[in-house]
Amino acid sequence: MSGPLTLGIETSCDETSAAVLRGDRELLSHTILSQDVHVIYGGVVPEIASREHLRLLDGVVDDALVRAGVGLDDINLFAVTAGPGLIGALLVGVAWAKGAAWALDRPVVGVHHMEGHLFAVNVEHPEAEPPFVALLVSGGHTLLLWVPAWGDYRLLGETRDDAAGEAFDKAAKLLGLPYPGGPSIEQIAHDGDATRHPLPRPLLASTTRPGDPDYYDFSYSGLKTALRTRIQRIAEGELTVEVPHLAASFQEAAVGVLVEKTARAVQELNCPRVLLGGGVANSRTLRARMMERIPGVELFHPSARLATDNAAMIARAGRFRFDRGEVAGMDLSARADLPFPGLARPDHRVC
Ligand code: KG4
Ligand code: ZN
């Protein structure tokens, strides 16, 4: 195969990652370094993340280039996450990409991190093409989108407080389970009975209809509070045995809401193709419940490495933006609150 080489760089949170992509989706190499240092704090410490990116990025890019069997001056395009994310962390990647692009006189594109998550599945599955309903669920975002075409994104629903992954992380902390919370909860919930501690499923009232903002939006803070209240009611000596049950209840409630809202979108838009993205897409429970709730759904999810933060998805999304003629200048900067490109309120259509 042949095609231009894109170097993707991702440093928006606590993964330092670089990838070399040939053409649209031939992944020549993909290096991801997760910053374990945050584990001792039970969450990401922004200043430490920036310093770690600074320390690690040169080595991570070198590793990706060596594995791809190419040199830096073979790269045709630099694609870097420009936001949203931790500003100090983002700046490390953006400054690196701009420096390389300037030194080699190559183009650079700034990529929206969530558009990256949207493109992650497409790196591995060329048939994961619009139109589809997309559920992007990470530690920082919970977005339900209608995607009639790449670059044309209609926002159906979003979280009003905590993101889905963040809710898993906070619930794990309450249960004394390690960070990141999603995988720890899923693992221990395996031995739990989800019916022992019923928890609420926020914003699922049966009276809501399309057009009512509650219909597609998410809220996780009430669920977290309900879990805390449950934990407080359990005698200290009995908590350990109840943790798997509490974890299972929380997981079923958190996942149940995601699945139900996605099912509503599939029904309203008459589009049985669903694409998952973001770290929470790694949840086997989410995928299983999705298949049970939406019979016949064509469900696409990224592999584990492409679900969590990674540079391959950034390279893929950057390639798409570049092909549309979007090139950044040397004034490219990182933005913690970068708006999602092409995102609009919905104009429901049938696929
Ligand atoms: O996309 P990601 O790597 O980083 C952000 O951009 O935030 O997502 C990380 C999030 C964490 O909150 C983690 O708890 C969650 O994804 N996660 C899961 C699972 N695996 C990772 N949540 C639920 N179930 C899982 N199996
Ligand atoms: Zn992410």
Side-chain angles (χ1 to χ4, degrees):
M1 278 212 242
S2 64
L5 296 180
T6 303
L7 179 74
I9 293 176
E10 157 64 35
T11 64
S12 70
C13 192
D14 59 339
E15 265 83 28
T16 314
S17 180
V20 179
L21 189 73
R22 181 150 59 194
D24 276 352
R25 58 179 73 81
E26 192 192 349
L27 200 52
L28 299 187
S29 66
H30 193 194
T31 304
I32 307 173
L33 256 188
S34 289
Q35 302 176 358
D36 292 343
V37 57
H38 304 285
V39 169
I40 55 174
Y41 301 101
V44 178
V45 182
E47 182 57 27
I48 295 177
S50 316
R51 286 164 193 256
E52 287 292 278
H53 287 306
L54 207 50
R55 192 172 69 82
L56 299 168
L57 187 54
D58 279 339
V60 165
V61 171
D62 280 350
D63 185 72
L65 292 171
V66 168
R67 283 173 198 272
V70 301
L72 189 61
D73 54 7
D74 294 321
I75 298 298
N76 305 107
L77 171 68
F78 292 91
V80 61
T81 307
L86 304 171
I87 188 64
L90 289 164
L91 279 168
V92 175
V94 168
W96 201 104
K98 279 192 344 183
W102 184 77
L104 297 168
D105 195 20
R106 301 286 146 72
V108 60
V109 285
V111 173
H112 189 281
H113 181 78
M114 296 313 289
E115 189 176 39
H117 277 302
L118 197 61
F119 270 98
V121 182
N122 188 262
V123 174
E124 301 170 312
H125 301 281
E127 67 280 21
E129 285 283 326
F132 52 69
V133 171
L135 179 68
L136 299 183
V137 269
S138 68
H141 294 86
T142 306
L143 295 170
L144 186 63
L145 305 176
W146 163 233
V147 180
W150 292 121
D152 181 0
Y153 309 129
R154 321 285 173 90
L155 180 67
L156 299 173
E158 62 190 325
T159 185
R160 297 186 183 171
D161 38 61
D162 293 349
E166 185 182 4
F168 272 95
D169 295 337
K170 288 181 175 172
K173 212 168 187 175
L174 289 172
L175 293 168
L177 300 171
Y179 172 87
S184 352
I185 288 186
E186 184 159 42
Q187 197 186 357
I188 203 161
H190 202 257
D191 304 317
D193 172 1
T195 61
R196 260 173 81 98
H197 300 285
L199 290 170
R201 299 186 177 198
L203 299 187
L204 271 194
S206 56
T207 50
T208 56
R209 297 264 177 280
D212 175 341
D214 283 5
Y215 195 67
Y216 287 127
D217 272 356
F218 305 91
S219 167
Y220 280 107
S221 65
L223 174 58
K224 182 187 62 194
T225 307
L227 176 67
R228 184 187 289 121
T229 310
R230 274 268 165 191
I231 293 172
Q232 284 163 351
R233 280 204 218 121
I234 296 169
E236 219 170 284
E238 283 161 30
L239 189 57
T240 312
V241 274
E242 295 302 327
V243 165
H245 308 308
L246 289 160
S249 299
F250 176 84
Q251 178 171 252
E252 289 302 330
V255 159
V257 178
L258 295 174
V259 169
E260 199 52 41
K261 305 259 165 167
T262 307
R264 289 175 176 183
V266 164
Q267 191 183 14
E268 194 197 351
L269 295 153
N270 190 23
C271 181
R273 184 182 300 157
V274 172
L275 182 138
L276 302 178
V280 184
N282 265 340
S283 166
R284 286 169 190 276
T285 313
L286 172 66
R287 276 139 40 186
R289 298 292 172 272
M290 206 64 97
M291 304 289 283
E292 288 159 18
R293 174 64 183 83
I294 317 173
V297 67
E298 191 184 1
L299 185 66
F300 290 104
H301 70 88
S303 63
R305 267 170 82 76
L306 273 94
T308 50
D309 289 350
N310 70 85
M313 68 184 194
I314 300 303
R316 175 71 190 91
R319 192 74 237 158
F320 165 73
R321 289 285 158 195
F322 180 75
D323 287 346
R324 295 204 355 167
E326 295 174 32
V327 180
M330 279 298 127
D331 57 349
L332 172 67
S333 193
R335 265 186 73 177
D337 61 347
L338 189 71
F340 204 133
L343 186 69
R345 288 274 155 193
D347 155 27
H348 298 162
R349 268 195 234 146
V350 170
C351 78

